[in-house]
Amino acid sequence: MAETPENCAETQVSPLSKVWDTRMVGQSEAFDFYRESICAAFMPLRPEVDARGRTRFQAKVTSRHIDDGILNFVSAHAHRVQRSRREIAASDSECYYLNTQFEGDCHIKQRGTSITLRAGDVGIFDGAEPFDLRHDNCPSLKVASLMVPKQVLHDAFGAPLETGPEVLSRHPILGPLLSEAGRSLATAASQKRGDGLSGLYRVFLSVAAMTAKPRTANDHPATRNLVQVQSIRQIIRRNFADLEFGVSDCAALMGLSVGHVQHLLAQNHTRFGRLLLQERLAMAAQWLSDPMRSHQSVATIAFSCGFKDTSHFGRAFRERYDLSPGEWRRQNHW
């Protein structure tokens, strides 16, 4: 579901702040209202709760812009939140989540790794990869979730970053400082303070960067490889629409041999063709959902995304999204 702020009843506290509270609607509508509100405050997500939980569900979401980030406060009864490939394809930007947990436990599963955030913890996970958040073991939760564009954190870290999920606040030296920075930022934002908020935001990002920052490329070959793999991904993202673009073109742009590029990707359990296909399919899914491209045929979008064969495009699209391109367009058109 790709909700927008216009789909949801909301209270605008200030030009930079919005609030959604389930008390604004009847109990029978509360969870659906919450589902729409977090899609508007965050990005397309899929909250779930059982039938019993629906009968008593209450929540409040407050969203505030801070510089190039968005800080969302969520106070709610226990539930589950998922983000699948379908929701990711409906998003037009990539971000990291930096969550400061205030109440309850949050179990996060992503990339085959599971972590648990408890009160006082600060964790990071990738908004551009599928994840599963569970709050099943606590009656309620309170969390301040900061959405930061990927490039902002890459700049803060001084290198492309691939991390998460990870509990940053358990760093033996900087962990307590990061927790305090997260609480200070959330408190200042919740009190509607404007003075110093941008500074607190930058401090929080800087401490998070120091906490999770990998060793420099000169410190360890694995880090050097990670940076190079991220560079490969960025080159693919810039050139995916070129029907003739291949691994040799990528290697030439990086100043590396084809064999070295293939070796780097193999060490990270992937292949060039797989990354290129993923990027092309993701963009096709996004364009099929775009009302500004509703006049374009499925074949036109396929060719624009680098596919030479519409039959291959259709098979690959269905395999990834469990729908044909036409079905995806009908179900996900904004």
Side-chain angles (χ1 to χ4, degrees), residues 179-247:
S179 294
E180 182 57 33
R183 285 192 296 268
S184 297
L185 176 63
T187 300
S190 65
Q191 293 173 350
K192 315 299 187 295
R193 285 168 46 190
D195 56 306
L197 196 56
S198 180
L200 286 171
Y201 171 73
R202 294 298 167 185
V203 167
F204 181 59
L205 291 188
S206 296
V207 178
M210 289 188 290
T211 304
K213 186 174 182 179
R215 287 171 289 185
T216 64
N218 291 330
D219 289 334
H220 199 283
T223 304
R224 209 166 38 239
N225 291 350
L226 185 62
V227 172
Q228 289 179 313
V229 169
Q230 186 62 24
S231 296
I232 293 171
R233 292 177 181 271
Q234 292 173 343
I235 289 172
I236 290 174
R237 191 158 294 145
R238 291 194 296 267
N239 295 277
F240 71 90
D242 182 350
L243 274 67
E244 304 301 329
F245 187 72
V247 64

Side-chain angles (χ1 to χ4, degrees), residues 27-52:
Q27 187 61 57
S28 62
E29 302 172 80
F31 188 74
D32 291 332
F33 178 84
Y34 170 74
R35 176 188 287 118
E36 293 176 355
S37 74
I38 67 167
C39 287
F42 289 86
M43 52 177 58
L45 299 169
R46 193 170 74 248
E48 296 179 353
V49 71
D50 58 25
R52 182 181 177 186

Side-chain angles (χ1 to χ4, degrees), residues 97-205:
Y97 292 95
L98 281 164
N99 281 16
T100 301
Q101 197 77 15
F102 284 88
E103 182 178 310
D105 293 349
C106 178
H107 307 286
I108 304 171
K109 185 175 182 180
Q110 185 176 63
R111 295 173 177 163
T113 299
S114 298
I115 64 168
T116 298
L117 298 182
R118 298 186 170 86
D121 282 339
V122 176
I124 186 172
F125 54 104
D126 192 339
E129 293 285 344
F131 60 72
D132 188 352
L133 275 60
R134 292 179 178 267
H135 314 284
D136 306 14
N137 297 332
C138 58
S140 62
L141 72 118
K142 290 183 180 179
V143 62
S145 182
L146 180 64
M147 290 173 53
V148 184
K150 280 196 168 184
Q151 191 57 51
V152 172
L153 268 189
H154 291 173
D155 291 343
F157 280 62
L161 171 69
E162 286 196 10
T163 187
E166 184 179 357
V167 185
L168 302 180
S169 55
R170 294 178 192 164
H171 188 281
I173 299 173
L174 297 175
L177 179 59
L178 180 62
S179 294
E180 182 57 33
R183 285 192 296 268
S184 297
L185 176 63
T187 300
S190 65
Q191 293 173 350
K192 315 299 187 295
R193 285 168 46 190
D195 56 306
L197 196 56
S198 180
L200 286 171
Y201 171 73
R202 294 298 167 185
V203 167
F204 181 59
L205 291 188

Side-chain angles (χ1 to χ4, degrees), residues 43 55 80-81 121 123-124 127 165 185 187 260 268 274 295 305 316:
M43 52 177 58
T55 62
R80 179 183 183 183
V81 178
D121 282 339
I124 186 172
L185 176 63
T187 300
H260 188 53
N268 285 267
R274 179 186 299 171
H295 65 286
C305 290

